[in-house]
PDB file of all heavy atoms in Angstrom:
ATOM      1  N   GLU A   1     109.156  97.840  74.855  1.00 97.00           N
ATOM      2  CA  GLU A   1     110.092  98.159  75.936  1.00 97.00           C
ATOM      3  C   GLU A   1     109.971  99.628  76.353  1.00 97.00           C
ATOM      4  O   GLU A   1     109.930  99.949  77.540  1.00 97.00           O
ATOM      5  CB  GLU A   1     111.524  97.854  75.474  1.00 97.00           C
ATOM      6  CG  GLU A   1     112.531  97.972  76.557  1.00 97.00           C
ATOM      7  CD  GLU A   1     113.057  96.640  77.006  1.00 97.00           C
ATOM      8  OE1 GLU A   1     112.643  95.607  76.473  1.00 97.00           O
ATOM      9  OE2 GLU A   1     113.871  96.647  77.924  1.00 97.00           O
ATOM     10  N   ALA A   2     109.892 100.520  75.377  1.00 96.00           N
ATOM     11  CA  ALA A   2     109.758 101.952  75.675  1.00 96.00           C
ATOM     12  C   ALA A   2     108.445 102.226  76.417  1.00 96.00           C
ATOM     13  O   ALA A   2     108.422 102.994  77.391  1.00 96.00           O
ATOM     14  CB  ALA A   2     109.824 102.768  74.387  1.00 96.00           C
ATOM     15  N   ASP A   3     107.371 101.582  75.966  1.00 96.00           N
ATOM     16  CA  ASP A   3     106.076 101.758  76.639  1.00 96.00           C
ATOM     17  C   ASP A   3     106.130 101.243  78.070  1.00 96.00           C
ATOM     18  O   ASP A   3     105.564 101.859  78.983  1.00 96.00           O
ATOM     19  CB  ASP A   3     104.963 101.027  75.873  1.00 96.00           C
ATOM     20  CG  ASP A   3     104.553 101.738  74.604  1.00 96.00           C
ATOM     21  OD1 ASP A   3     104.850 102.943  74.469  1.00 96.00           O
ATOM     22  OD2 ASP A   3     103.930 101.076  73.749  1.00 96.00           O
ATOM     23  N   GLU A   4     106.804 100.123  78.291  1.00 97.00           N
ATOM     24  CA  GLU A   4     106.895  99.568  79.644  1.00 97.00           C
ATOM     25  C   GLU A   4     107.696 100.479  80.567  1.00 97.00           C
ATOM     26  O   GLU A   4     107.346 100.650  81.739  1.00 97.00           O
ATOM     27  CB  GLU A   4     107.489  98.166  79.606  1.00 97.00           C
ATOM     28  CG  GLU A   4     106.516  97.139  79.033  1.00 97.00           C
ATOM     29  CD  GLU A   4     107.132  95.761  78.837  1.00 97.00           C
ATOM     30  OE1 GLU A   4     108.367  95.614  78.964  1.00 97.00           O
ATOM     31  OE2 GLU A   4     106.370  94.826  78.548  1.00 97.00           O
ATOM     32  N   HIS A   5     108.762 101.084  80.047  1.00 96.00           N
ATOM     33  CA  HIS A   5     109.537 102.026  80.865  1.00 96.00           C
ATOM     34  C   HIS A   5     108.697 103.262  81.206  1.00 96.00           C
ATOM     35  O   HIS A   5     108.715 103.747  82.334  1.00 96.00           O
ATOM     36  CB  HIS A   5     110.816 102.450  80.143  1.00 96.00           C
ATOM     37  CG  HIS A   5     111.863 101.394  80.097  1.00 96.00           C
ATOM     38  ND1 HIS A   5     112.480 100.907  81.227  1.00 96.00           N
ATOM     39  CD2 HIS A   5     112.411 100.722  79.060  1.00 96.00           C
ATOM     40  CE1 HIS A   5     113.349  99.973  80.896  1.00 96.00           C
ATOM     41  NE2 HIS A   5     113.329  99.844  79.579  1.00 96.00           N
ATOM     42  N   ARG A   6     107.966 103.759  80.220  1.00 96.00           N
ATOM     43  CA  ARG A   6     107.101 104.922  80.429  1.00 96.00           C
ATOM     44  C   ARG A   6     106.006 104.576  81.439  1.00 96.00           C
ATOM     45  O   ARG A   6     105.713 105.351  82.352  1.00 96.00           O
ATOM     46  CB  ARG A   6     106.494 105.368  79.101  1.00 96.00           C
ATOM     47  CG  ARG A   6     105.722 106.663  79.191  1.00 96.00           C
ATOM     48  CD  ARG A   6     105.214 107.137  77.834  1.00 96.00           C
ATOM     49  NE  ARG A   6     106.248 107.230  76.833  1.00 96.00           N
ATOM     50  CZ  ARG A   6     106.357 106.425  75.760  1.00 96.00           C
ATOM     51  NH1 ARG A   6     105.477 105.484  75.540  1.00 96.00           N
ATOM     52  NH2 ARG A   6     107.341 106.579  74.907  1.00 96.00           N
ATOM     53  N   ALA A   7     105.404 103.412  81.301  1.00 96.00           N
ATOM     54  CA  ALA A   7     104.329 102.993  82.208  1.00 96.00           C
ATOM     55  C   ALA A   7     104.841 102.856  83.644  1.00 96.00           C
ATOM     56  O   ALA A   7     104.123 103.191  84.596  1.00 96.00           O
ATOM     57  CB  ALA A   7     103.714 101.676  81.733  1.00 96.00           C
ATOM     58  N   LEU A   8     106.075 102.395  83.790  1.00 97.00           N
ATOM     59  CA  LEU A   8     106.653 102.276  85.133  1.00 97.00           C
ATOM     60  C   LEU A   8     106.762 103.651  85.788  1.00 97.00           C
ATOM     61  O   LEU A   8     106.438 103.811  86.970  1.00 97.00           O
ATOM     62  CB  LEU A   8     108.021 101.604  85.073  1.00 97.00           C
ATOM     63  CG  LEU A   8     108.753 101.478  86.409  1.00 97.00           C
ATOM     64  CD1 LEU A   8     107.952 100.626  87.383  1.00 97.00           C
ATOM     65  CD2 LEU A   8     110.143 100.902  86.188  1.00 97.00           C
ATOM     66  N   ARG A   9     107.170 104.643  85.022  1.00 97.00           N
ATOM     67  CA  ARG A   9     107.251 106.011  85.552  1.00 97.00           C
ATOM     68  C   ARG A   9     105.863 106.499  85.991  1.00 97.00           C
ATOM     69  O   ARG A   9     105.700 107.093  87.046  1.00 97.00           O
ATOM     70  CB  ARG A   9     107.816 106.974  84.512  1.00 97.00           C
ATOM     71  CG  ARG A   9     109.223 106.673  84.061  1.00 97.00           C
ATOM     72  CD  ARG A   9     110.204 106.930  85.182  1.00 97.00           C
ATOM     73  NE  ARG A   9     111.545 106.666  84.721  1.00 97.00           N
ATOM     74  CZ  ARG A   9     112.570 107.437  84.983  1.00 97.00           C
ATOM     75  NH1 ARG A   9     112.398 108.541  85.687  1.00 97.00           N
ATOM     76  NH2 ARG A   9     113.766 107.114  84.559  1.00 97.00           N
ATOM     77  N   TYR A  10     104.868 106.236  85.140  1.00 97.00           N
ATOM     78  CA  TYR A  10     103.507 106.636  85.487  1.00 97.00           C
ATOM     79  C   TYR A  10     103.023 105.900  86.736  1.00 97.00           C
ATOM     80  O   TYR A  10     102.348 106.483  87.586  1.00 97.00           O
ATOM     81  CB  TYR A  10     102.543 106.368  84.329  1.00 97.00           C
ATOM     82  CG  TYR A  10     102.720 107.274  83.141  1.00 97.00           C
ATOM     83  CD1 TYR A  10     102.548 106.794  81.854  1.00 97.00           C
ATOM     84  CD2 TYR A  10     103.047 108.613  83.281  1.00 97.00           C
ATOM     85  CE1 TYR A  10     102.692 107.617  80.747  1.00 97.00           C
ATOM     86  CE2 TYR A  10     103.203 109.444  82.185  1.00 97.00           C
ATOM     87  CZ  TYR A  10     103.022 108.941  80.925  1.00 97.00           C
ATOM     88  OH  TYR A  10     103.162 109.755  79.842  1.00 97.00           O
ATOM     89  N   ASP A  11     103.356 104.613  86.852  1.00 97.00           N
ATOM     90  CA  ASP A  11     102.920 103.835  88.012  1.00 97.00           C
ATOM     91  C   ASP A  11     103.524 104.370  89.311  1.00 97.00           C
ATOM     92  O   ASP A  11     102.832 104.480  90.329  1.00 97.00           O
ATOM     93  CB  ASP A  11     103.287 102.358  87.844  1.00 97.00           C
ATOM     94  CG  ASP A  11     102.477 101.661  86.776  1.00 97.00           C
ATOM     95  OD1 ASP A  11     101.418 102.202  86.378  1.00 97.00           O
ATOM     96  OD2 ASP A  11     102.901 100.581  86.318  1.00 97.00           O
ATOM     97  N   VAL A  12     104.812 104.703  89.270  1.00 97.00           N
ATOM     98  CA  VAL A  12     105.456 105.264  90.469  1.00 97.00           C
ATOM     99  C   VAL A  12     104.834 106.624  90.794  1.00 97.00           C
ATOM    100  O   VAL A  12     104.525 106.919  91.953  1.00 97.00           O
ATOM    101  CB  VAL A  12     106.987 105.371  90.276  1.00 97.00           C
ATOM    102  CG1 VAL A  12     107.624 106.145  91.422  1.00 97.00           C
ATOM    103  CG2 VAL A  12     107.614 103.990  90.152  1.00 97.00           C
ATOM    104  N   GLY A  13     104.636 107.436  89.766  1.00 97.00           N
ATOM    105  CA  GLY A  13     103.990 108.737  89.974  1.00 97.00           C
ATOM    106  C   GLY A  13     102.598 108.574  90.554  1.00 97.00           C
ATOM    107  O   GLY A  13     102.191 109.317  91.464  1.00 97.00           O
ATOM    108  N   GLU A  14     101.856 107.607  90.039  1.00 97.00           N
ATOM    109  CA  GLU A  14     100.504 107.336  90.533  1.00 97.00           C
ATOM    110  C   GLU A  14     100.531 106.956  92.006  1.00 97.00           C
ATOM    111  O   GLU A  14      99.739 107.461  92.815  1.00 97.00           O
ATOM    112  CB  GLU A  14      99.881 106.219  89.702  1.00 97.00           C
ATOM    113  CG  GLU A  14      98.468 105.873  90.047  1.00 97.00           C
ATOM    114  CD  GLU A  14      97.915 104.747  89.167  1.00 97.00           C
ATOM    115  OE1 GLU A  14      98.592 104.290  88.232  1.00 97.00           O
ATOM    116  OE2 GLU A  14      96.779 104.332  89.451  1.00 97.00           O
ATOM    117  N   GLY A  15     101.448 106.082  92.368  1.00 97.00           N
ATOM    118  CA  GLY A  15     101.560 105.657  93.769  1.00 97.00           C
ATOM    119  C   GLY A  15     101.896 106.817  94.690  1.00 97.00           C
ATOM    120  O   GLY A  15     101.304 106.968  95.772  1.00 97.00           O
ATOM    121  N   LEU A  16     102.842 107.660  94.273  1.00 98.00           N
ATOM    122  CA  LEU A  16     103.213 108.809  95.101  1.00 98.00           C
ATOM    123  C   LEU A  16     102.067 109.820  95.214  1.00 98.00           C
ATOM    124  O   LEU A  16     101.861 110.422  96.280  1.00 98.00           O
ATOM    125  CB  LEU A  16     104.471 109.467  94.547  1.00 98.00           C
ATOM    126  CG  LEU A  16     105.764 108.676  94.773  1.00 98.00           C
ATOM    127  CD1 LEU A  16     106.900 109.268  93.957  1.00 98.00           C
ATOM    128  CD2 LEU A  16     106.121 108.624  96.240  1.00 98.00           C
ATOM    129  N   LEU A  17     101.333 110.013  94.129  1.00 97.00           N
ATOM    130  CA  LEU A  17     100.173 110.916  94.192  1.00 97.00           C
ATOM    131  C   LEU A  17      99.101 110.364  95.121  1.00 97.00           C
ATOM    132  O   LEU A  17      98.464 111.118  95.877  1.00 97.00           O
ATOM    133  CB  LEU A  17      99.604 111.158  92.800  1.00 97.00           C
ATOM    134  CG  LEU A  17     100.409 112.120  91.936  1.00 97.00           C
ATOM    135  CD1 LEU A  17      99.986 112.018  90.472  1.00 97.00           C
ATOM    136  CD2 LEU A  17     100.274 113.544  92.437  1.00 97.00           C
ATOM    137  N   GLU A  18      98.894 109.049  95.108  1.00 97.00           N
ATOM    138  CA  GLU A  18      97.926 108.442  96.036  1.00 97.00           C
ATOM    139  C   GLU A  18      98.366 108.645  97.479  1.00 97.00           C
ATOM    140  O   GLU A  18      97.549 108.988  98.343  1.00 97.00           O
ATOM    141  CB  GLU A  18      97.782 106.946  95.739  1.00 97.00           C
ATOM    142  CG  GLU A  18      97.013 106.650  94.478  1.00 97.00           C
ATOM    143  CD  GLU A  18      96.979 105.172  94.123  1.00 97.00           C
ATOM    144  OE1 GLU A  18      97.602 104.347  94.838  1.00 97.00           O
ATOM    145  OE2 GLU A  18      96.332 104.835  93.124  1.00 97.00           O
ATOM    146  N   ILE A  19      99.654 108.438  97.732  1.00 97.00           N
ATOM    147  CA  ILE A  19     100.182 108.650  99.088  1.00 97.00           C
ATOM    148  C   ILE A  19      99.996 110.106  99.495  1.00 97.00           C
ATOM    149  O   ILE A  19      99.580 110.410 100.621  1.00 97.00           O
ATOM    150  CB  ILE A  19     101.670 108.225  99.156  1.00 97.00           C
ATOM    151  CG1 ILE A  19     101.778 106.698  99.050  1.00 97.00           C
ATOM    152  CG2 ILE A  19     102.328 108.725 100.438  1.00 97.00           C
ATOM    153  CD1 ILE A  19     103.195 106.195  98.820  1.00 97.00           C
ATOM    154  N   GLY A  20     100.290 111.027  98.573  1.00 97.00           N
ATOM    155  CA  GLY A  20     100.122 112.446  98.864  1.00 97.00           C
ATOM    156  C   GLY A  20      98.681 112.796  99.186  1.00 97.00           C
ATOM    157  O   GLY A  20      98.406 113.586 100.105  1.00 97.00           O
ATOM    158  N   LEU A  21      97.769 112.223  98.447  1.00 96.00           N
ATOM    159  CA  LEU A  21      96.339 112.489  98.680  1.00 96.00           C
ATOM    160  C   LEU A  21      95.905 111.977 100.054  1.00 96.00           C
ATOM    161  O   LEU A  21      95.223 112.677 100.808  1.00 96.00           O
ATOM    162  CB  LEU A  21      95.502 111.844  97.574  1.00 96.00           C
ATOM    163  CG  LEU A  21      94.000 112.034  97.638  1.00 96.00           C
ATOM    164  CD1 LEU A  21      93.642 113.518  97.586  1.00 96.00           C
ATOM    165  CD2 LEU A  21      93.324 111.307  96.483  1.00 96.00           C
ATOM    166  N   VAL A  22      96.324 110.778 100.400  1.00 97.00           N
ATOM    167  CA  VAL A  22      95.953 110.197 101.701  1.00 97.00           C
ATOM    168  C   VAL A  22      96.579 110.996 102.838  1.00 97.00           C
ATOM    169  O   VAL A  22      95.914 111.329 103.828  1.00 97.00           O
ATOM    170  CB  VAL A  22      96.362 108.707 101.768  1.00 97.00           C
ATOM    171  CG1 VAL A  22      96.232 108.167 103.184  1.00 97.00           C
ATOM    172  CG2 VAL A  22      95.535 107.891 100.798  1.00 97.00           C
ATOM    173  N   LEU A  23      97.868 111.319 102.690  1.00 97.00           N
ATOM    174  CA  LEU A  23      98.531 112.097 103.755  1.00 97.00           C
ATOM    175  C   LEU A  23      97.863 113.455 103.940  1.00 97.00           C
ATOM    176  O   LEU A  23      97.637 113.895 105.072  1.00 97.00           O
ATOM    177  CB  LEU A  23     100.015 112.268 103.435  1.00 97.00           C
ATOM    178  CG  LEU A  23     100.888 111.029 103.619  1.00 97.00           C
ATOM    179  CD1 LEU A  23     102.296 111.281 103.100  1.00 97.00           C
ATOM    180  CD2 LEU A  23     100.927 110.611 105.086  1.00 97.00           C
ATOM    181  N   SER A  24      97.552 114.117 102.850  1.00 96.00           N
ATOM    182  CA  SER A  24      96.890 115.428 102.946  1.00 96.00           C
ATOM    183  C   SER A  24      95.536 115.310 103.627  1.00 96.00           C
ATOM    184  O   SER A  24      95.147 116.173 104.412  1.00 96.00           O
ATOM    185  CB  SER A  24      96.713 116.033 101.552  1.00 96.00           C
ATOM    186  OG  SER A  24      97.971 116.285 100.983  1.00 96.00           O
ATOM    187  N   SER A  25      94.828 114.250 103.346  1.00 95.00           N
ATOM    188  CA  SER A  25      93.495 114.052 103.935  1.00 95.00           C
ATOM    189  C   SER A  25      93.559 113.796 105.435  1.00 95.00           C
ATOM    190  O   SER A  25      92.582 114.044 106.143  1.00 95.00           O
ATOM    191  CB  SER A  25      92.792 112.885 103.246  1.00 95.00           C
ATOM    192  OG  SER A  25      92.621 113.168 101.877  1.00 95.00           O
ATOM    193  N   LEU A  26      94.690 113.313 105.917  1.00 95.00           N
ATOM    194  CA  LEU A  26      94.824 113.065 107.356  1.00 95.00           C
ATOM    195  C   LEU A  26      94.753 114.351 108.172  1.00 95.00           C
ATOM    196  O   LEU A  26      94.496 114.316 109.381  1.00 95.00           O
ATOM    197  CB  LEU A  26      96.123 112.315 107.653  1.00 95.00           C
ATOM    198  CG  LEU A  26      96.142 110.847 107.222  1.00 95.00           C
ATOM    199  CD1 LEU A  26      97.508 110.233 107.485  1.00 95.00           C
ATOM    200  CD2 LEU A  26      95.060 110.064 107.945  1.00 95.00           C
ATOM    201  N   TYR A  27      94.956 115.500 107.550  1.00 95.00           N
ATOM    202  CA  TYR A  27      94.823 116.775 108.251  1.00 95.00           C
ATOM    203  C   TYR A  27      93.434 116.917 108.860  1.00 95.00           C
ATOM    204  O   TYR A  27      93.288 117.423 109.969  1.00 95.00           O
ATOM    205  CB  TYR A  27      95.094 117.946 107.295  1.00 95.00           C
ATOM    206  CG  TYR A  27      94.713 119.272 107.902  1.00 95.00           C
ATOM    207  CD1 TYR A  27      95.552 119.906 108.798  1.00 95.00           C
ATOM    208  CD2 TYR A  27      93.486 119.862 107.607  1.00 95.00           C
ATOM    209  CE1 TYR A  27      95.186 121.115 109.378  1.00 95.00           C
ATOM    210  CE2 TYR A  27      93.111 121.063 108.186  1.00 95.00           C
ATOM    211  CZ  TYR A  27      93.967 121.690 109.070  1.00 95.00           C
ATOM    212  OH  TYR A  27      93.601 122.872 109.658  1.00 95.00           O
ATOM    213  N   PHE A  28      92.415 116.468 108.140  1.00 93.00           N
ATOM    214  CA  PHE A  28      91.039 116.663 108.587  1.00 93.00           C
ATOM    215  C   PHE A  28      90.713 115.815 109.818  1.00 93.00           C
ATOM    216  O   PHE A  28      89.771 116.124 110.548  1.00 93.00           O
ATOM    217  CB  PHE A  28      90.058 116.365 107.450  1.00 93.00           C
ATOM    218  CG  PHE A  28      90.234 117.313 106.298  1.00 93.00           C
ATOM    219  CD1 PHE A  28      90.816 116.886 105.118  1.00 93.00           C
ATOM    220  CD2 PHE A  28      89.858 118.639 106.412  1.00 93.00           C
ATOM    221  CE1 PHE A  28      91.009 117.763 104.073  1.00 93.00           C
ATOM    222  CE2 PHE A  28      90.046 119.525 105.370  1.00 93.00           C
ATOM    223  CZ  PHE A  28      90.622 119.090 104.190  1.00 93.00           C
ATOM    224  N   ILE A  29      91.504 114.789 110.059  1.00 94.00           N
ATOM    225  CA  ILE A  29      91.320 113.978 111.271  1.00 94.00           C
ATOM    226  C   ILE A  29      92.173 114.520 112.410  1.00 94.00           C
ATOM    227  O   ILE A  29      91.724 114.638 113.540  1.00 94.00           O
ATOM    228  CB  ILE A  29      91.692 112.499 110.996  1.00 94.00           C
ATOM    229  CG1 ILE A  29      90.741 111.917 109.952  1.00 94.00           C
ATOM    230  CG2 ILE A  29      91.679 111.682 112.274  1.00 94.00           C
ATOM    231  CD1 ILE A  29      91.140 110.545 109.454  1.00 94.00           C
ATOM    232  N   SER A  30      93.424 114.874 112.089  1.00 93.00           N
ATOM    233  CA  SER A  30      94.372 115.235 113.135  1.00 93.00           C
ATOM    234  C   SER A  30      94.564 116.728 113.350  1.00 93.00           C
ATOM    235  O   SER A  30      95.041 117.140 114.397  1.00 93.00           O
ATOM    236  CB  SER A  30      95.737 114.634 112.812  1.00 93.00           C
ATOM    237  OG  SER A  30      96.276 115.289 111.671  1.00 93.00           O
TER     238      SER A  30
END
């Protein structure tokens, strides 16, 4: 249970970091 809660935090962090990377990369187009 503790590992699953920790993994959920990492998964949300991972998703937000991916979004941040994609958004930052849009500068080079726009």
Side-chain angles (χ1 to χ4, degrees):
E1 188 108 0
D3 285 342
E4 288 174 350
H5 287 295
R6 187 176 307 111
L8 177 61
R9 298 291 181 137
Y10 290 144
D11 290 343
V12 171
E14 183 180 355
L16 287 169
L17 284 165
E18 287 175 357
I19 290 168
L21 181 60
V22 169
L23 286 173
S24 296
S25 299
L26 288 176
Y27 169 80
F28 297 107
I29 296 171
S30 69

